[in-house]
Amino acid sequence: MSAEGTAFADHYGPWAIIAGASDGVGSAFAHAVAERGLNVVLLARRQALLDEVAEAIRHKTGVETRTAAVDLSLPDAMAKIASATDGLDVGMVIYCAGADPLYEPFLNHPVDIPVAMIQRNCVVPMRMFHHFAQPMVERGRGGLMLLSSGAGLRGGANMVGYAATKAFDIVMAESLWAELESRGVDVLSLVLGGTDTPSLRRVLARHGQIAGEDDPVPIPGIATPEQVVQEGLANLTNGPTWLVSEEQREHARQLGTMTRSEAVRAMQERAAALMATEHNPEASS
């Protein structure tokens, strides 16, 4: 292992927990921290996919792996996580779960769906960080990373629950950074824009924007999981917040010149224009 990898493992090891590790960005983070020498606990709902990721990591890196099939939207999630990690010296928690499976109007579905998203995106990461950060503070080292979204920077149609939870995540991570940065624990709110994940591809396929979720054609103008991981790990000590991709950072700078009401209205007008173009392709010619 390189000197850089050894220093990473010394500061954030010996165990890392990655929530949402079955595919996409979560799987990419699991591979990346394992390559830097950390043993990994992989959390997600689907045991078969977790087992595939764990086997690939073991084969490639030789680190220890554990998996726990946990539905992070249920009230017993934290109890299951605590049981699965009992006795482990956890030096890093990366919370990647929390994608929006719908991107549809708030009133189109039962309210239980966004309420479950609050449990998964807000309550569980808060419980996890409270549970695992105390030993990190006592050791004087560790890292917490919470993946959020540009949707949390302002409100917008079709993401009432999602945007609200992501705003919560940004502020929670920033506040934790303010408390823990001086105590040796790095905290980063990693704010993603569009990212090429299976979850996004399912949404785009359902809305007819790509041929299907297995469509191999790259989606232009969005980040890859590898880019997210690279920027996240490179900026873990540069908290409290890092926005992935220059496009996302420029977008945030533009929002910063507006009042919140102006920003919401501008995004609403942009979304309406895009919708009109999709339904009338000649409008863009």
Side-chain angles (χ1 to χ4, degrees):
M1 187 185 303
S2 68
E4 181 182 358
T6 299
F8 187 92
D10 287 345
H11 190 74
Y12 300 115
W15 284 89
I17 300 173
I18 298 89
S22 57
D23 59 20
V25 172
S27 174
F29 265 115
H31 279 272
V33 298
E35 288 166 3
R36 288 162 173 78
L38 271 60
N39 304 314
V40 291
V41 180
L42 311 178
L43 308 177
R45 285 185 300 110
R46 296 168 290 180
Q47 184 67 56
L49 289 179
L50 285 176
D51 290 343
E52 290 178 10
V53 175
E55 177 57 32
I57 288 173
R58 280 194 298 268
H59 179 75
K60 185 176 182 180
T61 68
V63 304
E64 293 184 60
T65 65
R66 289 192 185 185
T67 64
V70 180
D71 187 336
L72 298 168
S73 67
L74 297 181
D76 66 349
M78 187 61 230
K80 289 185 175 181
I81 294 167
S83 177
T85 58
D86 186 41
L88 297 184
D89 189 357
V90 175
M92 173 172 278
V93 177
I94 303 177
Y95 199 93
C96 303
D100 183 359
L102 297 175
Y103 190 71
E104 293 181 4
F106 179 65
L107 298 180
N108 279 17
H109 298 277
V111 74
D112 289 349
I113 293 177
V115 169
M117 194 179 297
I118 293 170
Q119 173 73 19
R120 184 187 65 197
N121 292 8
C122 304
V123 175
V124 174
M126 178 172 279
R127 288 187 179 280
M128 286 187 67
F129 287 177
H130 190 273
H131 181 82
F132 292 107
Q134 186 64 45
M136 295 180 192
V137 168
E138 291 170 359
R139 291 193 304 269
R141 61 176 180 83
L144 305 171
M145 189 186 301
L146 181 56
L147 272 63
S148 187
S149 167
L153 299 176
R154 76 283 177 269
N158 296 333
M159 51 185 182
V160 171
Y162 178 71
T165 63
K166 291 305 177 179
F168 179 99
D169 287 346
I170 291 170
V171 175
M172 177 171 68
E174 290 173 344
S175 301
L176 277 171
W177 176 89
E179 292 191 8
L180 302 183
E181 184 266 344
S182 64
R183 306 182 73 178
V185 179
D186 299 318
V187 183
L188 183 66
S189 168
L190 188 64
V191 182
L192 279 59
T195 307
D196 193 348
T197 64
S199 178
L200 177 63
R201 284 182 172 268
R202 285 191 289 271
V203 171
L204 294 178
R206 190 168 60 252
H207 287 272
Q209 296 178 7
I210 60 175
E213 61 182 271
D214 296 323
D215 186 347
V217 177
I219 303 172
I222 66 174
T224 65
E226 291 73 25
Q227 180 183 354
V228 171
V229 169
Q230 188 277 324
E231 292 199 26
L233 294 181
N235 290 283
L236 184 53
T237 59
N238 296 330
T241 300
W242 181 259
L243 277 67
V244 174
S245 85
E246 183 53 40
E247 180 181 25
Q248 175 84 340
R249 292 188 286 274
E250 176 58 29
H251 176 62
R253 284 191 286 269
Q254 292 174 5
L255 290 179
T257 67
M258 307 177 187
T259 67
R260 290 194 66 89
S261 292
E262 289 169 345
V264 172
R265 291 191 179 100
M267 293 307 300
Q268 186 72 353
E269 291 169 2
R270 179 183 177 188
L274 289 172
M275 185 69 69
T277 300
E278 288 175 8
H279 290 290
N280 180 18
E282 293 181 359
S284 62
S285 62

